PDB file of all heavy atoms in Angstrom:
ATOM      1  N   LEU A   9      31.665  11.257   8.425  1.00 97.00           N
ATOM      2  CA  LEU A   9      30.378  10.870   7.826  1.00 97.00           C
ATOM      3  C   LEU A   9      29.873  11.935   6.860  1.00 97.00           C
ATOM      4  O   LEU A   9      28.809  11.788   6.276  1.00 97.00           O
ATOM      5  CB  LEU A   9      29.337  10.645   8.926  1.00 97.00           C
ATOM      6  CG  LEU A   9      29.622   9.463   9.860  1.00 97.00           C
ATOM      7  CD1 LEU A   9      28.706   9.508  11.064  1.00 97.00           C
ATOM      8  CD2 LEU A   9      29.468   8.139   9.121  1.00 97.00           C
ATOM      9  N   GLY A  41      18.982   0.333  10.430  1.00 98.00           N
ATOM     10  CA  GLY A  41      19.563   0.687   9.141  1.00 98.00           C
ATOM     11  C   GLY A  41      21.030   1.033   9.298  1.00 98.00           C
ATOM     12  O   GLY A  41      21.472   1.421  10.383  1.00 98.00           O
ATOM     13  N   LEU A  42      21.786   0.832   8.219  1.00 98.00           N
ATOM     14  CA  LEU A  42      23.218   1.121   8.261  1.00 98.00           C
ATOM     15  C   LEU A  42      23.690   1.452   6.852  1.00 98.00           C
ATOM     16  O   LEU A  42      23.268   0.822   5.883  1.00 98.00           O
ATOM     17  CB  LEU A  42      23.965  -0.110   8.808  1.00 98.00           C
ATOM     18  CG  LEU A  42      25.448   0.038   9.186  1.00 98.00           C
ATOM     19  CD1 LEU A  42      25.634   1.047  10.315  1.00 98.00           C
ATOM     20  CD2 LEU A  42      26.022  -1.323   9.604  1.00 98.00           C
ATOM     21  N   ALA A  43      24.554   2.457   6.766  1.00 98.00           N
ATOM     22  CA  ALA A  43      25.108   2.851   5.468  1.00 98.00           C
ATOM     23  C   ALA A  43      26.596   2.505   5.457  1.00 98.00           C
ATOM     24  O   ALA A  43      27.250   2.480   6.512  1.00 98.00           O
ATOM     25  CB  ALA A  43      24.919   4.355   5.264  1.00 98.00           C
ATOM     26  N   GLN A  46      29.269   4.352   7.326  1.00 98.00           N
ATOM     27  CA  GLN A  46      29.280   4.242   8.791  1.00 98.00           C
ATOM     28  C   GLN A  46      30.242   3.159   9.272  1.00 98.00           C
ATOM     29  O   GLN A  46      30.559   3.097  10.456  1.00 98.00           O
ATOM     30  CB  GLN A  46      27.872   3.922   9.315  1.00 98.00           C
ATOM     31  CG  GLN A  46      26.927   5.102   9.253  1.00 98.00           C
ATOM     32  CD  GLN A  46      25.572   4.727   9.823  1.00 98.00           C
ATOM     33  OE1 GLN A  46      24.759   4.113   9.150  1.00 98.00           O
ATOM     34  NE2 GLN A  46      25.339   5.077  11.082  1.00 98.00           N
ATOM     35  N   GLU A  81      14.079  10.447  15.790  1.00 96.00           N
ATOM     36  CA  GLU A  81      15.130   9.717  15.089  1.00 96.00           C
ATOM     37  C   GLU A  81      16.379   9.495  15.930  1.00 96.00           C
ATOM     38  O   GLU A  81      16.727  10.301  16.781  1.00 96.00           O
ATOM     39  CB  GLU A  81      15.485  10.521  13.824  1.00 96.00           C
ATOM     40  CG  GLU A  81      16.009   9.658  12.709  1.00 96.00           C
ATOM     41  CD  GLU A  81      15.775  10.303  11.350  1.00 96.00           C
ATOM     42  OE1 GLU A  81      14.625  10.700  11.044  1.00 96.00           O
ATOM     43  OE2 GLU A  81      16.740  10.396  10.592  1.00 96.00           O
ATOM     44  N   GLY A  82      17.041   8.382  15.653  1.00 96.00           N
ATOM     45  CA  GLY A  82      18.332   8.074  16.262  1.00 96.00           C
ATOM     46  C   GLY A  82      19.264   7.576  15.168  1.00 96.00           C
ATOM     47  O   GLY A  82      18.862   7.442  14.024  1.00 96.00           O
ATOM     48  N   CYS A  83      20.538   7.320  15.527  1.00 97.00           N
ATOM     49  CA  CYS A  83      21.513   6.885  14.532  1.00 97.00           C
ATOM     50  C   CYS A  83      22.577   6.058  15.247  1.00 97.00           C
ATOM     51  O   CYS A  83      23.019   6.425  16.338  1.00 97.00           O
ATOM     52  CB  CYS A  83      22.153   8.108  13.876  1.00 97.00           C
ATOM     53  SG  CYS A  83      23.413   7.710  12.657  1.00 97.00           S
ATOM     54  N   LEU A  84      22.983   4.950  14.645  1.00 97.00           N
ATOM     55  CA  LEU A  84      23.989   4.090  15.283  1.00 97.00           C
ATOM     56  C   LEU A  84      25.316   4.818  15.478  1.00 97.00           C
ATOM     57  O   LEU A  84      26.100   4.463  16.356  1.00 97.00           O
ATOM     58  CB  LEU A  84      24.207   2.825  14.445  1.00 97.00           C
ATOM     59  CG  LEU A  84      23.048   1.808  14.460  1.00 97.00           C
ATOM     60  CD1 LEU A  84      23.293   0.716  13.432  1.00 97.00           C
ATOM     61  CD2 LEU A  84      22.874   1.196  15.843  1.00 97.00           C
ATOM     62  N   SER A  85      25.576   5.843  14.673  1.00 97.00           N
ATOM     63  CA  SER A  85      26.814   6.602  14.826  1.00 97.00           C
ATOM     64  C   SER A  85      26.760   7.584  15.993  1.00 97.00           C
ATOM     65  O   SER A  85      27.791   8.089  16.431  1.00 97.00           O
ATOM     66  CB  SER A  85      27.140   7.363  13.533  1.00 97.00           C
ATOM     67  OG  SER A  85      27.529   6.456  12.536  1.00 97.00           O
ATOM     68  N   PHE A  86      25.558   7.892  16.444  1.00 96.00           N
ATOM     69  CA  PHE A  86      25.394   8.838  17.567  1.00 96.00           C
ATOM     70  C   PHE A  86      24.466   8.196  18.594  1.00 96.00           C
ATOM     71  O   PHE A  86      23.307   8.588  18.749  1.00 96.00           O
ATOM     72  CB  PHE A  86      24.810  10.162  17.050  1.00 96.00           C
ATOM     73  CG  PHE A  86      25.532  10.708  15.856  1.00 96.00           C
ATOM     74  CD1 PHE A  86      24.962  10.611  14.589  1.00 96.00           C
ATOM     75  CD2 PHE A  86      26.791  11.268  15.974  1.00 96.00           C
ATOM     76  CE1 PHE A  86      25.631  11.082  13.472  1.00 96.00           C
ATOM     77  CE2 PHE A  86      27.468  11.736  14.862  1.00 96.00           C
ATOM     78  CZ  PHE A  86      26.889  11.645  13.610  1.00 96.00           C
ATOM     79  N   HIS A 130      16.961   8.304   5.863  1.00 98.00           N
ATOM     80  CA  HIS A 130      18.120   8.492   6.750  1.00 98.00           C
ATOM     81  C   HIS A 130      19.367   7.829   6.135  1.00 98.00           C
ATOM     82  O   HIS A 130      20.448   8.437   6.095  1.00 98.00           O
ATOM     83  CB  HIS A 130      17.768   7.885   8.107  1.00 98.00           C
ATOM     84  CG  HIS A 130      18.846   7.917   9.140  1.00 98.00           C
ATOM     85  ND1 HIS A 130      18.731   8.584  10.330  1.00 98.00           N
ATOM     86  CD2 HIS A 130      20.074   7.337   9.173  1.00 98.00           C
ATOM     87  CE1 HIS A 130      19.837   8.426  11.044  1.00 98.00           C
ATOM     88  NE2 HIS A 130      20.671   7.657  10.372  1.00 98.00           N
ATOM     89  N   GLU A 131      19.209   6.588   5.642  1.00 98.00           N
ATOM     90  CA  GLU A 131      20.378   5.855   5.120  1.00 98.00           C
ATOM     91  C   GLU A 131      20.879   6.446   3.805  1.00 98.00           C
ATOM     92  O   GLU A 131      22.083   6.563   3.591  1.00 98.00           O
ATOM     93  CB  GLU A 131      20.049   4.366   4.947  1.00 98.00           C
ATOM     94  CG  GLU A 131      19.634   3.641   6.219  1.00 98.00           C
ATOM     95  CD  GLU A 131      20.526   3.914   7.421  1.00 98.00           C
ATOM     96  OE1 GLU A 131      21.739   4.141   7.247  1.00 98.00           O
ATOM     97  OE2 GLU A 131      19.997   3.933   8.550  1.00 98.00           O
ATOM     98  N   HIS A 134      22.922   9.382   4.470  1.00 98.00           N
ATOM     99  CA  HIS A 134      24.298   9.051   4.873  1.00 98.00           C
ATOM    100  C   HIS A 134      25.214   8.980   3.648  1.00 98.00           C
ATOM    101  O   HIS A 134      26.339   9.477   3.669  1.00 98.00           O
ATOM    102  CB  HIS A 134      24.349   7.697   5.594  1.00 98.00           C
ATOM    103  CG  HIS A 134      24.161   7.778   7.081  1.00 98.00           C
ATOM    104  ND1 HIS A 134      24.914   8.602   7.890  1.00 98.00           N
ATOM    105  CD2 HIS A 134      23.320   7.116   7.911  1.00 98.00           C
ATOM    106  CE1 HIS A 134      24.522   8.446   9.156  1.00 98.00           C
ATOM    107  NE2 HIS A 134      23.563   7.553   9.195  1.00 98.00           N
ATOM    108  N   ILE A 138      25.083  13.358   4.503  1.00 98.00           N
ATOM    109  CA  ILE A 138      24.114  14.119   5.308  1.00 98.00           C
ATOM    110  C   ILE A 138      23.756  13.306   6.547  1.00 98.00           C
ATOM    111  O   ILE A 138      23.482  12.107   6.446  1.00 98.00           O
ATOM    112  CB  ILE A 138      22.833  14.386   4.470  1.00 98.00           C
ATOM    113  CG1 ILE A 138      23.175  15.289   3.276  1.00 98.00           C
ATOM    114  CG2 ILE A 138      21.718  14.984   5.316  1.00 98.00           C
ATOM    115  CD1 ILE A 138      22.079  15.364   2.229  1.00 98.00           C
ATOM    116  N   THR A 139      23.802  13.939   7.712  1.00 97.00           N
ATOM    117  CA  THR A 139      23.408  13.220   8.933  1.00 97.00           C
ATOM    118  C   THR A 139      22.031  13.711   9.386  1.00 97.00           C
ATOM    119  O   THR A 139      21.531  14.716   8.891  1.00 97.00           O
ATOM    120  CB  THR A 139      24.405  13.428  10.089  1.00 97.00           C
ATOM    121  OG1 THR A 139      24.299  14.782  10.535  1.00 97.00           O
ATOM    122  CG2 THR A 139      25.830  13.116   9.660  1.00 97.00           C
ATOM    123  N   MET A 140      21.460  12.992  10.361  1.00 97.00           N
ATOM    124  CA  MET A 140      20.113  13.344  10.834  1.00 97.00           C
ATOM    125  C   MET A 140      20.051  14.767  11.389  1.00 97.00           C
ATOM    126  O   MET A 140      19.002  15.395  11.365  1.00 97.00           O
ATOM    127  CB  MET A 140      19.631  12.333  11.876  1.00 97.00           C
ATOM    128  CG  MET A 140      20.435  12.283  13.148  1.00 97.00           C
ATOM    129  SD  MET A 140      19.693  11.110  14.320  1.00 97.00           S
ATOM    130  CE  MET A 140      20.787  11.329  15.729  1.00 97.00           C
TER     131      MET A 140
HETATM  132 ZN1   ZN B   1      22.498   6.902  10.794  1.00 60.24          ZN
END
Side-chain angles (χ1 to χ4, degrees):
L9 294 168
L42 191 62
Q46 286 182 280
E81 208 155 308
C83 178
L84 289 171
S85 289
F86 311 105
H130 177 118
E131 300 313 328
H134 270 307
I138 295 167
T139 70
M140 64 177 183

